[in-house]
């Protein structure tokens, strides 16, 4: 449903121009090839070089952006992940880190700072980032905050071979384009985007691939039930598995196990747009100036991992993972400074309270040729729920 523009901050004229250029680009593709499936629309609005939400220069993260991710909330998040990474690198007797979609670069800075303090630096901290503008932002932050590690941080254009170490992706899966589907009276329909004067959505006969993928979910859906499915996951997982020689993959994101994801109550799906801290479902608002995301079906992630010959080595809420990594012991040195303690307490609340990120966000660990228990799942592991 369109959101009322009156309640939203206006983009500046330059941003509006970029959005109009992107819209024209999408209109041209629709004019040439007919209505496009929703995943293609989402891909174009997020990743069209120079124009898409992640590719152009919008602020995105933090108070002045559209949403806040855990690394932007507190360095404690990165410090906890660093504990888990240090343990894995210790068992591997060294190795590298590879971060997918490193955002502002904040998590890389926090992890490297913590690993430096514990004398467990990786050989390299690789970053694979599809957005040229974010890559430039990450490079500037690392150069400013960690000049001594500048040579260790390497931006890649493709996955490395024979990788040994830890692969990390925080809020990357939710940014992958998804297909939208609806259970019709006599089969699966798919959402397409067309354009006359304005963009519009239509539900039409789904492609064979979407019909098969929805069928394989193994879920009974009532007529009218609408949701989404990430069809890129199996290929992405295969590429991870083939680059990983030994080590662990940590995937952190908001989402559910399948029976909660496709729960009858969630009959409109999870697709959400984020614009200047307003969440809504109008995917046609300011194309390229707002984020579009979908929650993650962690059962699908686990299935794709197993099919790619990876092991599922842990699954926990973010709260349990961070506490297993020692979150509550990392604040001791702040206890004398009242203001800093208050600030830290607020950050911890955001990271772990069930009403904030604590329960909705999950951490899944996958592994290959690595059999040691992972400290992040020592307090709680809910793999049996997958
Ligand atoms: C929601 S942001 C999260 C950024 C950061 N990880 C954080 O937590 O602040 C999503 C990030 O994933 C990147 N991204 C999306 N798909 C990707 C892919 N297939 N490979 C690498 N990066 C990707 C985007 O460019 C962006 O940096």
């Amino acid at each position: 449903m369109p959101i009322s523009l009156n309640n939203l901050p206006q983009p500046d004229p330059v941003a509006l121009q970029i959005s109009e250029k992107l819209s024209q680009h999408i209109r041209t593709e629709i004019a040439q090839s007919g209505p496009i499936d929703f995943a293609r629309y989402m891909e174009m609005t997020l990743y069209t070089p120079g124009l898409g939400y992640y590719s152009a220069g919008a602020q995105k993260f933090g108070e002045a952006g559209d949403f806040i991710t855990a690394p932007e909330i507190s360095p404690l998040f990165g410090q906890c992940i660093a504990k888990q990474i240090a343990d894995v690198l210790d068992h591997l007797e060294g190795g590298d880190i590879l971060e997918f979609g490193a955002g502002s670069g904040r998590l890389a800075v926090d992890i490297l700072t913590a690993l430096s303090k514990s004398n467990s630096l990786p050989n390299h901290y690789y970053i694979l980032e599809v957005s040229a503008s974010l890559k430039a932002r990450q490079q500037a932050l690392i150069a400013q905050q960690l000049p001594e590690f500048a040579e260790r941080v390497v931006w890649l254009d493709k996955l490395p071979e024979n990788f040994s170490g830890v692969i990390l992706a925080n809020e990357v899966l939710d940014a992958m384009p998804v297909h939208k589907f609806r259970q019709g009276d006599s089969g699966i329909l798919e959402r397409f985007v067309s354009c006359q004067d304005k963009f519009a959505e239509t539900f039409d006969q789904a492609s064979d691939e979407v019909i098969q993928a929805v069928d394989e979910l193994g879920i009974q859906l009532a007529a009218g039930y609408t949701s989404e499915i990430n069809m890129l996951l199996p290929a992405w997982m295969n590429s991870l598995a083939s680059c990983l020689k030994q080590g662990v993959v940590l995937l952190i994101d908001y989402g559910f196990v399948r029976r909660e994801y496709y729960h009858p109550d969630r009959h409109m799906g999870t697709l959400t747009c984020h614009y200047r801290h307003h969440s809504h479902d109008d995917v046609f608002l300011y194309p390229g100036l707002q984020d579009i995301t979908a929650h993650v079906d962690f059962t699908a992630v686990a299935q794709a991992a197993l099919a790619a010959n990876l092991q599922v080595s842990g699954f926990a809420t973010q709260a349990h993972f961070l506490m297993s990594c020692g979150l509550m012991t990392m604040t001791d040195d702040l206890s004398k400074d009242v203001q800093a303690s208050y600030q830290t307490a607020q950050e911890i609340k955001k990271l772990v309270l069930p009403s904030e990120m604590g329960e909705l966000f999950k951490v899944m660990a996958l592994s290959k040729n690595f059999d040691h228990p992972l400290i992040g799942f020592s307090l709680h592991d809910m793999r049996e729920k997958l």
Side-chain angles (χ1 to χ4, degrees), residues 46-47 53-55 60-61 67-72 77 99-107 128-132 134 138 168-177 232 236 252-254 291 293:
L46 297 184
Y47 300 111
Y53 179 75
Y54 281 110
S55 317
K60 298 179 259 290
F61 317 103
F67 56 87
I68 295 190
T69 58
E72 308 294 328
F77 181 74
E99 186 181 357
F100 269 87
S104 69
R106 173 56 49 201
L107 185 58
L128 195 63
E129 174 60 69
V130 290
S131 156
L134 285 177
Q138 293 154 13
L168 184 62
N170 186 57
E171 292 205 37
V172 173
L173 290 175
D174 70 78
M176 283 188 183
L232 301 179
W236 189 72
I252 308 163
D253 228 305
Y254 40 94
D291 193 18
T293 79

Side-chain angles (χ1 to χ4, degrees), residues 96-112 122 124-143 146 149-160 163 166-169 172:
D96 297 315
I97 298 173
L98 165 61
E99 186 181 357
F100 269 87
S104 69
R106 173 56 49 201
L107 185 58
V109 167
D110 292 339
I111 288 176
L112 282 168
H124 296 98
Y125 194 110
Y126 295 119
I127 295 181
L128 195 63
E129 174 60 69
V130 290
S131 156
S133 89
L134 285 177
K135 180 175 164 185
R137 238 161 105 177
Q138 293 154 13
Q139 286 172 330
L141 190 77
I142 306 256
L146 295 178
F149 299 140
E151 287 190 3
R152 237 177 250 258
V153 186
V154 179
W155 282 264
L156 303 176
D157 294 325
K158 59 182 174 66
L159 282 166
F163 181 86
V166 178
I167 298 178
L168 184 62
V172 173

Side-chain angles (χ1 to χ4, degrees), residues 176-238:
M176 283 188 183
V178 290
H179 285 75
K180 289 285 302 179
F181 66 87
R182 174 174 291 169
Q183 177 68 56
D185 291 331
S186 55
I188 296 297
L189 304 174
E190 186 180 342
R191 186 179 187 176
F192 293 90
V193 176
S194 59
C195 188
Q196 299 294 339
D197 299 337
K198 292 192 290 188
F199 291 120
E201 63 171 3
T202 49
F203 275 92
D204 217 331
Q205 168 71 28
S207 68
D208 291 348
E209 292 78 16
V210 169
I211 293 173
Q212 189 184 339
V214 174
D215 195 43
E216 284 171 3
L217 292 175
I219 300 265
Q220 280 289 334
L221 303 167
Y225 192 95
T226 306
S227 192
E228 56 280 323
I229 189 164
N230 181 343
M231 310 259 294
L232 301 179
L233 200 50
W236 189 72
M237 199 59 80
N238 277 334

